[in-house]
Amino acid sequence: LRGAPRAVHRHGRLSSPSVGAMSEPIDDGWDDLAQEMHREVETYFASLEEVASGGAAESALPLLLLAVGQLCASGARLGALVDVVPEERFEPDAGPDPDLERVRDGLHQLLGGLDAYCDLEDPVLSGEVSEGSLSEDLVAVAADLSHGREHYLAGRVTEAMWWWQFSYLSSWGERAASALRVVLA
């Protein structure tokens, strides 16, 4: 967190500035954090798949509560880190975006009347009410996470961490928090 190292070595590993002259990169925690985040991402995907398939209809809300709650906690950890900076200026191609329509449709069907909800556009600056969709939020979070997931699976740990952190702060963190609030309600 605040004491996290900032220097990035080639190979995507971080080292403390005092050992930067060493020839071998030192792992000061990014690999461990990335592995933990990847586990949470995989758990989230597995939970969405199970709920969307209809196989866990009677436990859909508790399962979503756990999956989204754990993901929000992992995201908060990402948000508290110093900025992850990728080594390269341009992103390596992570491959095609996943097709999540089947999951979205399954969630929408299962949630029925619980899918649509009212939300505040900006709870700090405005009281304007907008409409949200739980299935849309859950799938948008998955789409954001999948990009980092592909980088992680390709061995680009720093790039994965950057995507997970960036997309948490810019998109999926807010959508996951909204989904969590709706599932709790």
Side-chain angles (χ1 to χ4, degrees):
L1 293 123
R2 286 213 190 276
R6 296 174 191 252
V8 178
H9 274 291
R10 56 191 180 90
H11 307 300
R13 294 192 177 176
L14 296 179
S15 71
S16 65
S18 62
V19 294
M22 297 178 73
S23 61
E24 191 62 31
I26 295 176
D27 174 13
D28 279 340
W30 286 115
D31 287 346
D32 291 341
L33 288 172
Q35 188 175 35
E36 288 175 29
M37 186 63 196
H38 181 254
R39 271 194 304 269
E40 290 301 331
V41 168
E42 292 301 322
T43 299
Y44 181 74
F45 273 87
S47 298
L48 279 189
E49 288 282 342
E50 185 173 344
V51 171
S53 74
E58 67 285 345
S59 60
L61 291 177
L63 187 59
L64 289 173
L65 179 64
L66 286 171
V68 177
Q70 285 177 223
L71 191 62
C72 284
S74 294
R77 191 174 315 122
L78 287 173
L81 291 172
V82 295
D83 289 346
V84 177
V85 180
E87 294 177 41
E88 301 295 324
R89 182 178 172 125
F90 299 100
E91 173 195 8
D93 186 5
D97 291 334
D99 182 9
L100 297 168
E101 286 305 311
R102 180 184 49 76
V103 173
R104 181 188 334 271
D105 291 344
L107 289 169
H108 180 72
Q109 292 294 337
L110 181 74
L111 295 169
L114 300 176
D115 193 31
Y117 66 90
C118 292
D119 200 10
L120 292 178
E121 191 67 37
D122 184 337
V124 176
L125 301 175
S126 159
E128 189 175 330
V129 176
S130 63
E131 186 173 314
S133 165
L134 183 55
S135 62
E136 291 288 330
D137 287 343
L138 295 169
V139 170
V141 168
D144 285 345
L145 293 171
S146 70
H147 200 79
R149 177 190 196 196
E150 293 307 314
H151 284 299
Y152 181 85
L153 293 173
R156 296 184 294 267
V157 174
T158 302
E159 192 71 32
M161 287 292 288
W162 184 84
W163 272 103
W164 287 326
Q165 184 185 52
F166 170 77
S167 60
Y168 169 77
L169 295 170
S170 64
S171 177
W172 75 261
E174 185 175 340
R175 294 202 77 168
S178 292
L180 184 62
R181 184 176 50 79
V182 171
V183 172
L184 276 169

